[in-house]
Amino acid sequence: MRTGISELASKLRKREISAVELTKTYIDAIEKLNPTLNAYVHLTFDTALKAAEKADQMLKEGDAPLLCGIPMALKDNICTDGLLTTCCSKILEGFKPYYDATVWEKLKAQGAVLMGKTNMDEFAMGSTSETSCYGAPLNPINTAYVTGGSSGGSAAVVCADLAVYSLGSDTGGSIRQPASFCGVIGLKPTYGAVSRYGLIAYGSSLDQIGPVTSSVKDAAIVFDAIKGGDKRDQTSVDYDYGDSLAERLDRDIKGMRIGVAEEFFDGINPEIKYKIMEAIALFEKNGAIIENIRLPALKIALPVYYIIACAEASSNLGRYDGIRYGYRASSYTSIEDMIVKTRSEGFGDEVKRRIMLGTYVLSSGYYDAYYKKACLIREEINREFDAVFEKCDALIAPTAPNTAFPLNHKVTSPVEIYLSDICTVPVNIAGIPAISIPCGKDSKGLPIGMQIIGKKFDEATVLQMAYFYEQNSGIDVGVYEGGARA
Ligand code: GLN
């Protein structure tokens, strides 16, 4: 098992290692592995070393927060003052924000050491990270396969131990699915639990920032550090979670009611289904009560998600006009021509496809038939989840219907990739929390992820169940050959 944040924090406090030394270990590992893995797209070693010096000072003064001096990474759609933030899109080429996202402001204040920004699908649209303008990151478990997406780089840096933890964003599975493909842990918090201020928007009613880590305890520690209301994000909620969640992971699961919905298992690769069933049996053996439940509306969750996400994206991406940010076409005849050329040259195919789809479903004449209908079905999905949570404490499901795709997998149509989001998007539609945790490997040796889904603001139960599984299944992330702690 890999050393977690608490163990590293204790070593830093005992001066067994300094934050600068720890940071240098990570720089060495990144320099060795990143040219192959392409997990980081912008490296911030200079600022990291300065932050580490400051962290050492904080540690010396005593009473430093747990995350002080710990090397970490941020997805490239999280704004960092003065540091490149490009969403892996040509249209944001060279863009350096002049403010920090709230999550980064919080972590920075605690002495976090940012190693760099991680690779992702352009504007977080995709499930393989292959739509990045910097080329795809490779899966550290087997470099012939994708990392998943859109937070593929954030999952890869944790998997290969090129960061102790990272932050990703999840609109329809982008934290959980890459975590499952790379065999690490990914938590999508309740919508509103973590501020989205400074997260470059994709689908604003679905987006949520969360941690990617190599242990459940680390996920709880990072969530503890980033959660909370923010007056700069009107959709955030200052929910009272009580004491630190990381201190409350031990819980007897006896009598806990776990829902299993057959709709989540439709069309799932049999090897994945088998591993999830094995995990469910472990919970049952230890006294949990398994409830077979139904979520019929899940069958239409995918079109609902793609209509709402694309509609919101088409509006959010309207701001990239060549005037306010990043890239501008080099020759044009008028302002209109400049905007059209900038957007045509700056956005990749997948982003354009979604802007067009979103504009279409919002246009008069189609609004009622698509967007409005999708919003109504969204309410129905919420009602079904509410009813299920009347009798269950949490649900167990696969994270994805498949393990990692081979790189450049022959995609016959984008819909084939969209279909693979079926297990994750319902959670964003309902705004509830879910974690993905490794639960074994398939016959090709690729990691399988299990999803634990909870009630709104009940991250505690989700983390406790994941912790129970991690402690009792014998499956953990493990040490990575060539990684910083190897
Ligand atoms: N794969 C989904 C999409 O492309 C989810 C992406 C995400 O969560 N950012 O929309």
Side-chain angles (χ1 to χ4, degrees), residues 17 51 110 235 352 370:
I17 188 167
Q110 300 195 17
T235 61
K352 285 181 193 160
Y370 295 105

Side-chain angles (χ1 to χ4, degrees), residues 46-184:
D46 289 348
T47 47
L49 285 166
K50 282 195 199 109
E53 275 172 31
K54 211 170 127 205
D56 276 327
Q57 194 57 38
M58 280 167 81
L59 287 156
K60 209 152 82 199
E61 284 159 14
D63 227 21
L66 209 50
L67 294 172
C68 183
I70 308 280
M72 47 78 69
L74 293 173
K75 187 175 179 178
D76 197 32
N77 58 354
I78 297 176
C79 285
T80 42
D81 189 1
L83 301 172
L84 285 172
T85 303
T86 68
C87 279
C88 293
S89 176
K90 186 175 171 189
I91 212 153
L92 277 175
E93 195 172 72
F95 175 61
K96 290 184 180 168
Y98 50 84
Y99 67 95
D100 283 325
T102 299
V103 286
W104 174 228
E105 195 177 79
K106 286 187 177 186
L107 293 172
K108 202 156 125 182
Q110 300 195 17
V113 177
L114 176 69
M115 304 308 297
K117 307 293 286 283
T118 59
N119 209 346
M120 57 184 277
D121 278 302
E122 184 180 4
F123 281 100
M125 297 173 186
S127 309
T128 62
S129 298
E130 288 171 300
T131 70
S132 163
C133 72
Y134 303 106
L138 308 186
N139 191 320
I141 302 288
N142 182 336
T143 53
Y145 290 83
V146 300
T147 53
S150 65
S151 314
S154 287
V157 296
V158 172
C159 171
D161 199 9
L162 304 181
V164 178
Y165 69 94
S166 65
L167 295 187
S169 68
D170 193 312
T171 307
S174 280
I175 291 175
R176 291 160 287 156
Q177 185 257 27
S180 98
F181 281 16
C182 293
V184 294

